[in-house]
Amino acid sequence: MKKISPGKKTRFWRAFRRQWDLQLMVLPAIVVLILFSYLPMSGIIIAFKDFTFRKGIFGSDWVGLKHFQSIITDPFVHRALYNTVMLSLLRLAIVFPAPLIFALMLNEMRFPRLKRVYQTMSYLPYFVSWAIVCAMVPVWLAPNTGFVNSLLQFFGIIKEPVAFLSEPGYFYGLTIILELWKSIGFSAIIYLAAIAGIDQEQYEAAMIDGASKFQKMRYITIPSIRGTVSLLFILSISGILGGNFDVSYLLGNGGNISRSEILQTYNYHMGIIQGRFSYATMVGLMLGVVALAFLLIGNAVIKKLTKTSGLF
Amino acid sequence: MMKTTAARRNPNRIRQRRGEAVFEVIVFIVLTLIILFLVYPFYNCLILAFNDGQDALNPGIYLYPRMFSMENILKAVQIEGMASAAFMSVTRTIIGTVLSILVCAMFGYAVSKPGLKLRSLYMVIAMIPMFFSGGMIPSFLNIRNLGLYDNFLVYILPTLFSTFYAIIFLATYREVPPSLEESAILDGANQFTIFYRIIMPISKPTIAAISVFTAVGHWNSWMDTMLYTGKKTINTLAYMFSRLIFQTQYLQSLMESSDNEIGMKLYGATSTSIMVGAMVIATLPIAIIYPFFQKHFAKGVMIGSIKG
């Protein structure tokens, strides 16, 4: 055995062993991450192979960009991509800003006790599973007995009952309304917390200067929470582009498939139902890359616009 | 006092305050409409669940049950597989939440120590999956390769660690003054003892908040059942409902199209009502529990948002 003076390596191991208990605490998390996050990432290579169960992930034959080429010419991918992008844009324009407006309005409400009741009620939809929500939707939208059709007829918006679920033209609207309904109250919590953290002296000073409520909102509240808004924007970009598998899958049917099919549901149908694993993995890979690109672009844009640090 | 003198001096001020009153009334009305929009759909299902199924064939049940009946609820409990699915959901929620809190909290605690060796490596390993994942198919194949397909553990193991919750724990434990642990270290206690005896008790609010999120996630999860299981014995409640959607749509098309066949129509109507009863039963635990946890999760979101 060679005799060496305690070098960098041995010093490291000695310190490592001394904190064995802390290292052991990290271990379960790292094992879970490797098994369920990093192992699947390595499985992405089957996008460049012809996967068969018999040969396994690493044994299957390489085919290069074959699947990428067939995706480019697949009209169903084009349709799914179009729907994914359109829904993402609608989400950015409507679902993202809505909680901010809701929070600003709640903040302006006079009666504190009613305000708290309203706020509590507004989170409720967030805690109900998409599976149950989407199971209730056909009941709400039933042409003869559902309350939505009755209400719209009562106000004269429609004359005849509409079968909302089987008409492709209503699917975008339905998805956006459901997402809005489910998340508006919960997402508002963060904005309300940010508003509560604003220095009250600014409002007092504004009041002495005779600023109206609206001016206070415009010139104090909104600028003060700009950082929170841009941070949430970056954090939600990848989720927004990620699409909503739950609604598109659970409420998608033969009638509305031309608008309800998004990349995620196409991925599922190709991979799990039809067993075209390699092809579906390529679809998923493209989706992941596009989402990552959007995240980086969004981060750069926000950095430029708000002169904040962004996420990274 | 000051306001009135200011108002007397400046007539514009009065007009402005009248404008503000109008503004407040509008805010109140709009908010009330939003809350109705958020809550009424549930209420609609609630009254339908307590209404006679055949009677519900006729429209007009919007404010209260027209023909009160407990039958839907009683029959919903007896739907085949419902009881075992409820048992699975409860079991996975309890086991999954407890273990996941332990894994996330321990990670957050260890990483909150600046002297932890390999600390930044661990952080990078935890952060990357937040932005990039293997996707549905590689995950599916991975679960099969690990032998977890059709195994109850598939509900527990993959969701044990969440980077987001671990970061919230990390933010909480950073605030703990080191003096709290010093006497325990002098007594020769190891970090597990300190974690269990000192750290866990003082972080109860964070643990409560994250428990609520994790438990709700488990209770509501249905995709893992669809992707990773094939046998009915480990079905969960949320998954049962994801199947009911297709059944409800089918039954409704039956009701709409079969004007002449009264029998079919009645069958469709009563079955739909029973399903609505089941949905109400599955939502009720959350609706009952959540006002009690409300303040905890609001706090949890705030901690998370500050650290972002």
Side-chain angles (χ1 to χ4, degrees):
Chain A
M1 230 170 84
K2 268 195 288 180
K3 183 109 170 127
I4 44 164
S5 59
K8 219 176 169 187
K9 227 175 181 175
T10 36
R11 264 211 311 274
F12 171 82
W13 280 112
R14 211 174 275 162
F16 191 87
R17 266 210 301 267
R18 209 175 305 125
Q19 50 176 237
W20 63 273
D21 38 12
L22 282 177
Q23 293 292 343
L24 216 55
M25 283 179 166
V26 178
L27 193 65
I30 298 298
V31 170
V32 168
L33 280 166
I34 288 171
L35 283 182
F36 298 105
S37 295
Y38 288 92
L39 267 184
M41 278 186 212
S42 73
I44 290 177
I45 58 166
I46 67 165
F48 306 99
K49 291 179 163 213
D50 262 337
F51 175 80
T52 56
F53 270 112
R54 199 168 45 81
K55 290 183 179 168
I57 292 177
F58 296 101
S60 296
D61 305 324
W62 290 95
V63 294
L65 291 176
K66 181 180 128 187
H67 300 295
F68 183 73
Q69 279 160 354
S70 39
I71 280 174
I72 288 178
T73 52
D74 183 345
F76 292 108
V77 168
H78 297 170
R79 188 176 74 179
L81 182 68
Y82 177 80
N83 288 333
T84 312
V85 171
M86 287 307 283
L87 279 167
S88 304
L89 292 177
L90 285 172
R91 221 170 263 138
L92 271 181
I94 300 168
V95 182
F96 181 75
L100 176 62
I101 297 167
F102 181 62
L104 286 173
M105 279 169 53
L106 260 183
N107 190 50
E108 295 302 330
M109 192 152 136
R110 259 296 177 74
F111 323 102
R113 192 169 293 167
L114 192 64
K115 185 172 147 184
R116 216 169 306 135
V117 172
Y118 274 15
Q119 212 190 328
T120 307
M121 283 171 144
S122 71
Y123 319 141
L124 184 60
Y126 180 84
F127 288 96
V128 179
S129 173
W130 270 120
I132 293 179
V133 169
C134 291
M136 288 176 170
V137 168
V139 177
W140 299 333
L141 297 182
N144 281 335
T145 53
F147 78 89
V148 175
N149 267 301
S150 309
L151 203 67
L152 292 177
Q153 277 175 302
F154 178 78
F155 285 111
I157 298 169
I158 53 173
K159 292 215 164 57
E160 293 290 307
V162 177
F164 289 103
L165 278 174
S166 46
E167 296 272 345
Y170 295 108
F171 192 81
Y172 287 175
L174 182 62
T175 307
I176 295 300
I177 289 175
L178 281 176
E179 285 181 13
L180 206 59
W181 178 76
K182 206 161 183 296
S183 67
I184 190 169
F186 193 76
S187 309
I189 297 178
I190 298 172
Y191 294 122
L192 285 167
I195 291 171
I198 298 173
D199 185 9
Q200 288 301 312
E201 279 177 23
Q202 292 188 49
Y203 290 107
E204 282 158 25
M207 206 184 76
I208 292 167
D209 289 344
S212 73
K213 268 198 148 173
F214 195 74
Q215 285 169 323
K216 278 187 242 171
M217 191 184 344
R218 170 74 186 77
Y219 293 103
I220 301 175
T221 314
I222 293 178
S224 305
I225 60 173
R226 200 189 282 155
T228 311
V229 176
S230 55
L231 192 71
L232 284 176
F233 181 77
I234 300 168
L235 282 175
S236 56
I237 285 177
S238 46
I240 282 170
L241 197 94
N244 188 334
F245 182 88
D246 299 75
V247 174
S248 284
Y249 173 76
L250 292 171
L251 294 181
N253 55 43
N256 62 21
I257 191 160
S258 60
R259 285 297 172 86
S260 62
E261 185 91 297
I262 55 173
L263 284 174
Q264 281 87 345
T265 52
Y266 188 65
N267 191 6
Y268 172 78
H269 287 135
M270 282 293 114
I272 309 286
I273 304 293
Q274 295 192 16
R276 296 173 63 186
F277 293 105
S278 287
Y279 190 77
T281 304
M282 185 54 103
V283 173
L285 177 63
M286 284 169 66
L287 187 67
V289 169
V290 174
L292 199 64
F294 265 72
L295 178 72
L296 295 175
I297 294 169
N299 191 52
V301 169
I302 288 289
K303 249 179 173 172
K304 264 261 163 64
L305 282 182
T306 63
K307 307 210 165 36
T308 51
S309 57
L311 196 59
F312 18 68
Chain B
M1 267 299 277
M2 217 184 73
K3 269 182 198 162
T4 48
T5 47
R8 207 179 301 140
R9 237 183 301 142
N10 185 357
N12 278 338
R13 181 86 185 133
I14 299 174
R15 208 173 303 143
Q16 190 179 339
R17 288 190 49 177
R18 200 170 293 152
E20 272 176 27
V22 172
F23 178 69
E24 269 166 20
V25 171
I26 292 172
V27 163
F28 175 76
I29 292 171
V30 173
L31 277 176
T32 308
L33 287 176
I34 292 176
I35 296 299
L36 274 178
F37 161 72
L38 294 177
V39 175
Y40 179 76
F42 286 124
Y43 181 73
N44 183 261
C45 279
L46 190 68
I47 56 178
L48 279 176
F50 285 101
N51 196 80
D52 181 74
Q54 291 184 24
D55 178 61
L57 253 179
N58 304 309
I61 307 167
Y62 303 124
L63 294 177
Y64 45 84
R66 190 165 47 203
M67 232 173 117
F68 184 83
S69 156
M70 288 291 285
E71 203 179 335
N72 297 324
I73 302 286
L74 294 175
K75 280 201 175 140
V77 187
Q78 297 161 14
I79 293 178
E80 203 197 329
M82 200 59 96
S84 86
F87 176 74
M88 272 300 147
S89 283
V90 170
T91 315
R92 76 168 279 183
T93 302
I94 294 172
I95 298 176
T97 306
V98 170
L99 291 181
S100 164
I101 291 287
L102 265 178
V103 171
C104 294
M106 284 198 307
F107 182 87
Y109 174 65
V111 171
S112 77
K113 303 269 172 217
L116 183 78
K117 293 284 160 191
L118 299 180
R119 182 177 177 278
S120 39
L121 175 70
Y122 295 144
M123 283 305 282
V124 170
I125 291 179
M127 294 300 276
I128 289 175
M130 278 183 108
F131 303 106
F132 197 78
S133 78
M136 185 188 286
I137 308 300
S139 300
F140 168 78
L141 295 175
N142 181 47
I143 294 290
R144 286 194 86 110
N145 286 342
L146 293 174
L148 288 172
Y149 191 84
D150 261 350
N151 189 328
F152 176 75
L153 288 176
V154 83
Y155 294 144
I156 309 293
L157 298 180
T159 53
L160 270 185
F161 181 74
S162 149
T163 307
F164 188 68
Y165 299 152
I167 290 175
I168 296 180
F169 275 116
L170 167 64
T172 310
Y173 293 144
R174 242 187 222 144
E175 310 295 313
V176 176
S179 56
L180 268 178
E181 300 167 22
E182 265 158 18
S183 60
I185 292 174
L186 288 179
D187 288 345
N190 68 34
Q191 290 290 347
F192 284 101
T193 319
I194 294 170
F195 179 72
Y196 185 71
R197 291 269 164 81
I198 300 170
I199 300 300
M200 295 262 280
I202 58 167
S203 59
K204 265 183 195 156
T206 310
I207 291 177
I210 295 179
S211 300
V212 176
F213 290 131
T214 315
V216 169
H218 272 288
W219 183 257
N220 286 344
S221 168
W222 61 276
M223 254 168 82
D224 45 12
T225 311
M226 178 174 85
L227 289 172
Y228 307 140
T229 71
K231 59 179 181 191
K232 284 189 171 147
T233 46
I234 54 173
N235 272 0
T236 56
L237 212 52
Y239 175 74
M240 294 272 292
F241 284 103
S242 74
R243 299 298 101 181
L244 285 186
I245 297 165
F246 301 107
Q247 220 171 320
T248 322
Q249 285 189 5
Y250 168 70
L251 286 170
Q252 276 184 351
S253 65
L254 215 62
M255 281 156 61
E256 300 298 329
S257 59
S258 57
D259 285 331
N260 303 320
E261 294 163 65
I262 301 291
M264 270 308 208
K265 225 173 164 178
L266 288 183
Y267 168 73
T270 45
S271 310
T272 309
S273 292
I274 293 169
M275 284 179 211
V276 175
M279 293 168 208
V280 168
I281 294 174
T283 317
L284 233 47
I286 293 173
I288 291 169
I289 291 169
Y290 107 114
F292 298 101
F293 282 100
Q294 211 235 101
K295 59 171 192 268
H296 290 306
F297 68 68
K299 197 180 271 167
V301 171
M302 283 173 212
I303 300 169
S305 68
I306 292 161
K307 289 291 150 190

